[in-house]
Amino acid sequence: MTSVGKASSVTVALLLLAAGALAGCAPEPSSSTPTPAVEQTPATPDPSPTADPTPTQTPTKAPETPSAFTESELVQICIDATNSGYDGVEFDAAGARIEKRTVTPEWLVLVPAQTNGYDAESACTIGGSPADPDIELSSASIQPLSEEQIQKLIRGEDEGGTD
């Protein structure tokens, strides 16, 4: 064989080898997804262990209280706590104002009312749970609170005594 023949034979052999190697990576016609010839590792490591088949749980937002109050429950608790402080009262539950406080108990509930021709307002601070509410302040007043007083109650300032 001449050197030209040897060179072309070597070139053909190398091309066949390269084509054979590339053919091993090609997907099989019956397979819809490619299958790697060797195990591939991802560029970034997987933080979960591969031996643990349990799915990972995504964190969920915790409720603000263990047993969260509904607005209507807070309003009714305040009405019940202050009803005896009035004579002939009519509460406006739909006009109630509920504020999240920065201290405990965590809720300030203001319920407008009418008593003996006067505008009135019940004010309560409520915590705990619907099954066991904690009422720290309950006030029945014929004078609605000023916005400044309401803001102080939200911050836990100048709360005075209970009942």
Side-chain angles (χ1 to χ4, degrees):
M1 208 191 257
T2 65
S3 61
V4 175
K6 284 184 185 179
S8 63
S9 294
V10 170
T11 304
V12 170
L14 286 175
L15 286 174
L16 286 175
L17 259 169
L22 289 175
C25 292
E28 297 177 16
S30 63
S31 174
S32 62
T33 58
T35 54
V38 293
E39 182 176 327
Q40 296 178 346
T41 57
T44 57
D46 187 7
S48 62
T50 56
D52 188 10
T54 59
T56 57
Q57 295 180 344
T58 57
T60 57
K61 183 180 178 185
E64 292 183 5
T65 58
S67 297
F69 289 98
T70 64
E71 288 184 14
S72 62
E73 286 172 329
L74 288 168
V75 170
Q76 191 59 52
I77 290 167
C78 189
I79 289 171
D80 293 345
T82 59
N83 191 30
S84 64
Y86 296 109
D87 184 34
V89 67
E90 189 174 318
F91 290 98
D92 178 14
R97 177 177 173 181
I98 300 171
E99 296 286 344
K100 176 85 167 129
R101 293 172 20 113
T102 58
V103 295
T104 57
E106 53 272 354
W107 299 107
L108 171 63
V109 181
L110 304 166
V111 185
Q114 285 280 320
T115 183
N116 295 326
Y118 293 100
D119 286 335
E121 184 174 62
S122 290
C124 301
T125 56
I126 303 172
S129 68
D132 187 24
D134 175 28
I135 304 166
E136 187 173 290
L137 168 82
S138 62
S139 170
S141 175
I142 59 168
Q143 184 176 2
L145 295 173
S146 69
E147 187 61 32
E148 180 183 354
Q149 290 171 315
I150 292 169
Q151 293 306 313
K152 285 182 177 182
L153 286 172
I154 290 171
R155 293 187 304 266
E157 300 170 1
D158 298 329
E159 290 187 5
T162 57
D163 283 3

